[in-house]
Amino acid sequence: MIEKVFDTGLTPAQNELLLVLSEECSDVIKAICKIQRHGYDSTNPTKANSPTNREELERELGDVKAAMQLLTNLGDISKTNICSFKQEKLINVKQWLHFQND
């Protein structure tokens, strides 16, 4: 069997932070799914004093922002570009939203 090496050119530090970001993004998706199934204010019924699904989403979004900051600190992505694309999205997404007020 012939082994092929797939060299992305990523350093271990770059790969590590991309893994952190992807893990945090998957946690956000999981939190969203729980909200869609059970609502924002639902909690884990098997754990006393568990956070609400809203709080879990807020925590996971904070974790994504932290991962983004680590990537910008490393210089792999541009905070300026992110902000620019965010503004572009806020304008363009309006045509696809059906239930949002301006």
Side-chain angles (χ1 to χ4, degrees):
M1 177 189 243
I2 298 174
E3 262 187 59
K4 291 185 179 182
V5 176
F6 184 68
D7 184 12
T8 62
L10 295 174
T11 67
Q14 291 170 320
N15 194 57
E16 179 178 50
L17 291 183
L18 288 171
L19 287 168
V20 169
L21 179 61
S22 67
E23 181 184 345
E24 298 306 341
C25 287
S26 73
D27 289 343
V28 167
I29 292 168
K30 183 178 174 183
I32 290 168
C33 290
K34 285 184 179 182
I35 291 167
Q36 289 178 315
R37 289 184 66 211
H38 307 291
Y40 272 114
D41 297 321
S42 181
T43 60
N44 184 336
T46 65
K47 294 182 182 177
N49 301 318
S50 66
T52 65
N53 289 337
R54 181 188 319 271
E55 292 165 333
E56 285 295 324
L57 177 61
E58 291 166 343
R59 171 181 297 283
E60 298 305 341
L61 288 170
D63 289 351
V64 167
K65 288 188 83 167
M68 290 170 56
Q69 182 175 330
L70 291 169
L71 283 163
T72 58
N73 290 350
L74 192 61
D76 286 331
I77 60 174
S78 163
K79 189 175 183 179
T80 301
N81 285 348
I82 292 169
C83 290
S84 177
F85 289 126
K86 177 187 80 172
Q87 291 304 317
E88 193 177 299
K89 183 65 170 186
L90 289 171
I91 292 167
N92 293 336
V93 74
K94 289 179 183 180
Q95 65 184 320
W96 307 110
L97 298 176
H98 304 285
F99 305 104
Q100 306 304 310
N101 297 326
D102 289 335

